Amino acid sequence: MTHYALELIDHIEQHNGSGQLLAELYADENFSSGWREHQQQPAAINSNITIEGGEDE
């Protein structure tokens, strides 16, 4: 895991109050594949964002 990926895990741990394992599971479920190998934050222009409607819509 890269330094950047470890920083992401630390951030998740701090804000969710979870341990490293739960933070990694969260990242696996919510980040793009290969997040563990990223050296830096991906450019937003290359991101694929999907917004799904909820029950309110």
Side-chain angles (χ1 to χ4, degrees):
M1 196 176 314
T2 64
H3 179 71
Y4 173 72
L6 290 171
E7 287 179 344
L8 289 174
I9 294 301
D10 287 342
H11 181 80
I12 294 168
E13 286 181 75
Q14 290 174 8
H15 290 279
N16 290 348
S18 62
Q20 182 174 349
L21 181 58
L22 289 177
E24 287 184 37
L25 289 173
Y26 177 87
D28 286 339
E29 292 176 1
N30 293 286
F31 296 167
S32 63
S33 61
W35 68 268
R36 294 172 188 260
E37 287 79 38
H38 288 176
Q39 298 294 324
Q40 60 187 14
Q41 182 175 352
I45 196 165
N46 294 328
S47 296
N48 185 10
I49 299 171
T50 303
I51 300 173
E52 298 178 8
E55 294 179 13
D56 296 359
E57 296 178 10

